[in-house]
Amino acid sequence: ILSNLSYTPEIIGIPILTAADIDIVPNRLVAFSKAMTSKCYDAMIHFYESDKSFVRILNNPIRYGEILKRFKYVISPDFSQRMDAPPFICFQNSWWNKALGAYWQSLGICRMVTPRQLFICIFRHTKKFGNRNQLHRDKRKIYFQIFLDERI
């Protein structure tokens, strides 16, 4: 499933994600573990939860890709990269984050978003209206939603 992806030219190529164009900031974030039963298809799916809640995507990325196609936006997977972990584990987790995101993009999930793109989207969205306080409200809303999803 990874053979049709584009990679960087290094010896160990990193899968390349195409930048997503996010036109609006979604009103709702849904954790991947809750996405399986969610009917809120205009929400953004995130992986900001314990790795054990979504490690199953490594075993069957095709199945979960079909489920994620239903949603308007998906933040690419975010396997942990702890400071105390061996460097190889951090690299491997980063590689899988990009590989799964690129693979799902190849399935037609065109709104695959990296965490950096999400921040840029929020910044650009609020910059258009020139309201700096709106930026802080939007960021707080997203971070608070992620916090709630992790606690529930």
Side-chain angles (χ1 to χ4, degrees), residues 43-94:
M44 180 178 278
I45 304 302
H46 70 83
F47 291 84
Y48 301 125
E49 52 187 341
S50 172
D51 289 2
K52 64 183 176 188
S53 299
F54 63 89
V55 72
R56 61 189 170 191
I57 63 177
L58 289 173
N59 296 326
N60 201 343
I62 297 169
R63 173 181 176 224
Y64 294 109
E66 291 301 318
I67 292 168
L68 293 173
K69 275 185 183 179
R70 299 184 228 160
F71 297 93
K72 186 168 183 177
Y73 299 101
V74 179
I75 299 175
S76 60
D78 189 33
F79 286 104
S80 296
Q81 297 181 34
R82 298 187 337 254
M83 295 295 287
D84 61 342
F88 173 76
I89 298 298
C90 292
F91 177 81
Q92 178 184 17
N93 286 349
S94 175

Side-chain angles (χ1 to χ4, degrees), residues 87-105:
F88 173 76
I89 298 298
C90 292
F91 177 81
Q92 178 184 17
N93 286 349
S94 175
W95 193 92
W96 277 114
N97 292 342
K98 293 174 178 75
L100 289 166
Y103 171 65
W104 287 333
Q105 249 184 359

Side-chain angles (χ1 to χ4, degrees), residues 28-36 38 40 43-49 71 145 149:
R28 180 148 172 76
L29 288 164
V30 176
F32 173 78
S33 58
K34 295 183 171 108
M36 303 304 103
S38 177
C40 188
M44 180 178 278
I45 304 302
H46 70 83
F47 291 84
Y48 301 125
E49 52 187 341
F71 297 93
Q145 180 69 42
D149 287 345

Side-chain angles (χ1 to χ4, degrees), residues 11 47 150:
I11 292 172
F47 291 84
E150 288 177 352

Side-chain angles (χ1 to χ4, degrees), residues 2 10 14 19-22 24 26 29 43 45 47 56 58 67-68 77 82 92 106 116-117 127 133 135:
L2 301 175
E10 292 95 16
I14 310 256
D21 181 27
I22 308 171
I24 60 166
L29 288 164
I45 304 302
F47 291 84
R56 61 189 170 191
L58 289 173
I67 292 168
L68 293 173
R82 298 187 337 254
Q92 178 184 17
S106 75
R116 183 174 183 275
Q117 288 170 327
K127 193 175 178 183
N133 290 330
L135 169 65

